[in-house]
Structures are given as structure tokens and as C-alpha cells.
Amino acid sequence: MNDSGKPPGAGRTRRRGASLEEAILRAAVDEMLESGYAGLTMDKVAARAGTNKNAIYRRWPSRLALGVAAYRRLVTAVQPPDTGDLRGDVLEMLRGANRHWSSPLGAILRELMSAAGGAREFLTQLPEQSGDAAAAAWLTVLGRAVARGEASPEALHPRVATVAVVLLRNEFVVRGVPTAPDDVLVEIVDEVYLPLVRGRGSAPAQDVVK
């Protein structure tokens, strides 16, 4: 009994299906925003969602699975920039990635990646780690540049298009911190990315026959 003289849960609408799933995900999102993935527990989510752990485990078999699903709710698809210039677009995308990785959401992402380890089934569910999703925005930007004559059509390959952000992630690994100085971003663009995409498909220099 509670203070109103009614048993706990009296008058509460029993939720099922999509309604209950939404409540659980919303509770998981709120928990991660408050305490990060490290503070996410099934008990806390169940209490916040007003349900029991069995209801959660029927939908997400592990804390990691629930954390990944909640993170996907937190991030929204970002439209590729369109500055009218390839250099400007690429710098804006790198700066956006830099800001994200050093933000609270980036901290949650790093925790999830660490927890997932080599579990590819989880890593590919993370927007930033899905190869196709990650390449799509870069291919869009590069495709516009090709249409403007700024880059070679042969540059339109996922591995080529994503070289800049791969190099940025390498900076995070090497430096051990989730951010890079802006001059490093400029160097990646000017010294590696632009020469690569502009020179892609150029005929190799022929040896001079004497």
C-alpha cells in the first residue's frame, strides 16, 4: 500500500509493445546522459521506465545492446555541408567530427566502443562505425566536388572518400585524447586529402627512354 491507500501500480496503464519499448529507450537515454554508459544498469532503466528487467531483456539481451540502441536515439543524422568548395566541406566535416568526439556524446560513444571490443555485430550498429553510413556523407561531398570539376571521378571510392576522417581517428589513437588541434585538421586536408582526390586517376609519369 502507498500513502493514497492504493496498492503500488494501481491506476497505472499497462504498456505493451511499441509504447513500452519507447519508455525503456527513453529511460536508457536519460540514464546515459546523466551517468554515461558506465552508469547504465538494467535496474536503473527498469525503475525509470516503470517496468521490470525481464521486459528489457526480452528486447535487448545485454546492457551493451541496450546502450547501443539508446545511443542511436541520441545521435541524429547530420546533413553533409555544402560550402560550394571541397576544402571548405571537408574541413567542416572534420571539425564536426572533432567536436563530437570531445563532447559528452563522444564520451559515451568511446565507452560503447570499448565495451564492444571486437564484437562487430555491435560496432556496425554505431552510426560512426558503420562503413556504409560513414562513407555516404563523404561520398556525397566528394560527388559534388567531382560535378564542379574539383576532383577526379576516379576519386569516388569509399576508401578514398573517407581518408580524412580515418586519419583524424588515428590522431585520437596516437595522442590518446579525443580531440585534435585545428592545424592538424588543416594539414590532413591540404597535405593529404586534396592532393589524393585531385590526383586520383591521373596517368602515371612515363619513364623517359634515352
Side-chain angles (χ1 to χ4, degrees):
M1 303 289 286
N2 55 30
D3 292 341
S4 67
K6 297 179 181 179
R12 178 185 298 171
T13 302
R14 184 179 177 84
R15 293 164 303 178
R16 294 181 175 85
S19 177
L20 178 56
E21 184 171 311
E22 175 64 27
I24 293 170
L25 279 175
R26 189 166 58 247
V29 165
D30 290 342
E31 286 292 332
M32 287 211 301
L33 287 174
E34 289 182 7
S35 308
Y37 176 69
L40 182 74
T41 70
M42 296 302 210
D43 285 325
K44 288 181 180 179
V45 172
R48 189 184 284 262
T51 187
N52 58 67
K53 288 193 294 184
N54 288 338
I56 302 176
Y57 280 115
R58 281 196 296 271
R59 293 161 174 80
W60 297 278
S62 68
R63 186 171 74 101
L64 178 59
L66 178 60
V68 169
Y71 177 79
R72 287 172 62 88
R73 280 296 189 89
L74 277 169
V75 296
T76 55
V78 177
Q79 293 300 312
D82 189 3
T83 66
D85 170 72
L86 178 59
R87 183 178 187 274
D89 287 347
V90 176
L91 270 175
E92 183 56 36
M93 290 183 74
L94 288 184
R95 286 167 177 158
N98 211 24
R99 288 191 298 270
H100 179 76
W101 275 76
S102 59
S103 73
L105 286 184
I108 292 172
L109 174 61
R110 295 194 303 277
E111 286 183 306
L112 288 170
M113 290 176 62
S114 176
R120 187 170 181 81
E121 67 271 24
F122 289 116
L123 291 174
T124 54
Q125 293 178 46
L126 295 169
E128 292 86 348
Q129 303 306 305
S130 170
D132 291 342
W138 288 93
L139 285 169
T140 296
V141 163
L142 193 51
R144 291 172 184 159
V146 169
R148 291 192 299 261
E150 290 186 80
S152 165
E154 286 79 10
L156 281 173
H157 185 285
R159 291 191 183 278
V160 175
T162 56
V163 160
V165 75
V166 170
L167 290 175
L168 176 57
R169 288 174 185 161
N170 186 60
E171 284 292 319
F172 300 152
V173 173
V174 171
R175 294 173 182 271
V177 292
T179 189
D182 197 67
D183 61 339
V184 170
L185 309 188
V186 172
E187 186 176 77
I188 288 173
V189 174
D190 290 344
E191 302 300 327
V192 180
Y193 194 77
L194 294 180
L196 173 64
V197 301
R198 287 170 177 167
R200 183 83 171 176
S202 298
Q206 299 296 316
D207 291 335
V208 177
V209 180
K210 296 183 179 179

